[in-house]
């Protein structure tokens, strides 16, 4: 039976793996939260990976606060970049296939079409830069890896766009949602299923690939799709200085 480690297991995607794993009885998943497996501690990473010698490690640990990263550059780079390098070195040593989750925010959004895996990266913000560093370190240290870029991840698990707008709508609030950005929203359990299916069939894409929802839309469109009965209106245009720069178009094509 293939053994698979999930790091950052209490986050949105980690919880989505827990919910999806029963569909794959042939895979043995082990879940590690931040206290059990701190990916920023190189000794912990090396010892855990030498001990368990997982077949796959799916890294769901990340610094995901895009606005917070702007003022916490070191913390974002450590978790999304340097720590991914620790995982990559230990994966290479133990012949563990590293699956690193990356982001649409590695792109600058100037393209008019959805981005393909081979398109040039040019992140606009610290979060995107730190995730790009993670991608580069995986490729530097590992011979066999999968970097899977995804975008606008939502679900009923953890804290995300859906859970945030639902809680405000449940309190009877009007939701003011921007229509200034377009992307490909991704249901988190679909991403978990894509990865586990690829592992179980031994056809998970190697190198850099994209996995995102099929429909291109704005945050406003997504809110209306997820909460059709709520009072949802287009937010006024943001005026500079913005808290963080985001790509106007970060839709992903496979
Ligand atoms: N959410 C999106 O819209 C989106 C879009 C594109 C790509 N992605 C990528 O998708 C992946 C999963 O995101 P998500 O939405 O599941 O994020 P999330 O809900 O914020 O989960 C991140 C997890 O990382 C854990 N963590 C933090 N520091 C850690 C450390 N030092 N060691 C181990 N774990 C640590 C957190 O633990 P605590 O629970 O203790 O804080 C949290 O459980 C990330 O790589 C993210 O960059 C997300």
């Amino acid at each position: 039976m293939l053994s698979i480690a999930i790091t950052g297991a209490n986050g949105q995607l980690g919880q989505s793996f827990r919910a999806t794993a029963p569909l794959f009885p042939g895979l043995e998943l082990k879940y590690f939260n931040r206290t059990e497996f701190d990916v920023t501690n190189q000794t912990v990473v090396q010892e855990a990976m030498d001990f368990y010698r997982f077949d796959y490690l799916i890294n769901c640990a990340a610094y995901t606060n895009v606005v917070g990263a702007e003022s916490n550059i070191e913390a974002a780079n450590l978790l999304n970049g340097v720590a991914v390098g620790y995982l990559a070195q230990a994966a290479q040593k133990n012949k563990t296939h590293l699956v690193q989750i990356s982001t649409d925010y590695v792109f600058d959004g100037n393209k008019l079409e959805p981005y393909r895996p081979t398109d040039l990266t040019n992140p606009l913000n610290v979060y995107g830069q730190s995730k790009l560093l993670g991608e580069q370190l995986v490729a530097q240290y590992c011979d066999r890896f999968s970097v899977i870029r995804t975008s606008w991840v939502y679900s009923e698990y953890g804290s995300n766009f859906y859970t945030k707008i639902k809680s405000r709508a449940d309190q009877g609030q009007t939701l003011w949602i921007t229509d200034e950005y377009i992307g490909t929203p991704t249901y988190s359990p679909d991403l978990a299923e894509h990865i586990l299916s690829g592992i179980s069939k031994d056809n998970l894409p190697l190198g850099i690939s994209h996995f995102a929802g099929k429909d291109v839309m704005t945050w406003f469109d997504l809110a209306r799709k997820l909460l059709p009965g709520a009072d949802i209106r287009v937010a006024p245009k943001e005026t500079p200085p913005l808290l963080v720069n985001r790509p106007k178009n970060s839709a992903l094509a496979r």
Side-chain angles (χ1 to χ4, degrees):
M1 194 181 260
L2 290 172
S3 83
I4 301 166
I6 307 285
T7 50
N10 286 352
Q12 172 179 208
L13 183 57
Q15 292 184 55
S16 303
F17 274 106
R18 287 182 206 266
T20 309
L23 299 176
F24 299 89
L27 304 178
E28 185 191 13
L29 274 75
K30 288 192 172 69
Y31 301 93
F32 299 93
N33 65 27
R34 184 205 297 239
T35 37
E36 293 157 341
F37 191 142
D38 178 351
V39 298
T40 62
N41 184 326
Q42 190 167 22
T43 308
V44 166
V45 169
Q46 270 173 4
E47 288 180 358
M49 291 179 72
D50 288 350
F51 178 77
Y52 288 108
R53 311 198 70 176
F54 305 110
D55 295 303
Y56 286 82
L57 186 144
I58 305 170
N59 182 31
C60 300
Y63 190 108
T64 54
N65 181 341
V66 176
V67 174
E70 294 296 302
S71 48
N72 292 287
I73 301 175
E74 215 171 300
N77 279 333
L78 176 62
L79 185 48
N80 293 342
V82 176
V84 179
Y86 299 157
L87 291 169
Q89 289 173 69
Q92 178 71 5
K93 180 178 168 211
N94 290 293
K95 298 192 166 44
T96 299
H97 185 140
L98 181 60
V99 181
Q100 167 64 10
I101 313 301
S102 195
T103 175
D104 51 336
Y105 277 20
V106 296
F107 296 116
D108 61 19
N110 292 332
K111 194 179 172 187
L112 299 177
E113 300 287 314
Y115 282 90
R116 298 200 171 275
T118 47
D119 282 331
L120 211 60
T121 54
N122 183 29
L124 297 180
N125 56 42
V126 170
Y127 168 75
Q129 286 158 2
S130 68
K131 293 293 290 185
L132 182 59
L133 176 62
E135 290 188 3
Q136 290 163 341
L137 292 174
V138 173
Q140 181 178 329
Y141 291 122
C142 287
D143 295 328
R144 190 181 161 80
F145 65 86
S146 301
V147 166
I148 302 175
R149 295 189 188 127
T150 188
S151 66
W152 295 23
V153 183
Y154 69 92
S155 68
E156 59 274 48
Y157 307 111
S159 172
N160 61 76
F161 180 74
Y162 170 69
T163 54
K164 285 178 193 161
I165 60 169
K166 177 157 190 331
S167 121
R168 281 162 43 202
D170 287 348
Q171 293 163 28
Q173 292 179 22
T174 297
L175 305 177
W176 296 93
I177 312 282
T178 178
D179 68 352
E180 289 188 73
Y181 305 94
I182 58 169
T184 35
T186 308
Y187 183 52
S188 185
D190 286 348
L191 174 59
E193 189 172 341
H194 165 73
I195 294 170
L196 294 182
S197 169
I199 291 174
S200 67
K201 294 179 185 152
D202 196 20
N203 65 3
L204 191 67
L206 294 173
I208 295 176
S209 64
H210 289 175
F211 181 86
K214 289 191 172 53
D215 297 327
V216 178
M217 61 179 82
T218 67
W219 288 112
F220 175 76
D221 298 330
L222 179 61
R224 287 223 299 202
K225 178 181 154 187
L226 296 175
L227 298 176
D231 178 14
I232 303 171
R233 305 190 194 173
V234 176
K237 297 247 175 291
E238 289 182 299
T239 47
L242 305 178
L243 290 174
V244 61
N245 289 316
R246 297 172 190 267
K248 291 280 184 206
N249 164 34
S250 63
L252 297 180
R254 296 197 189 161

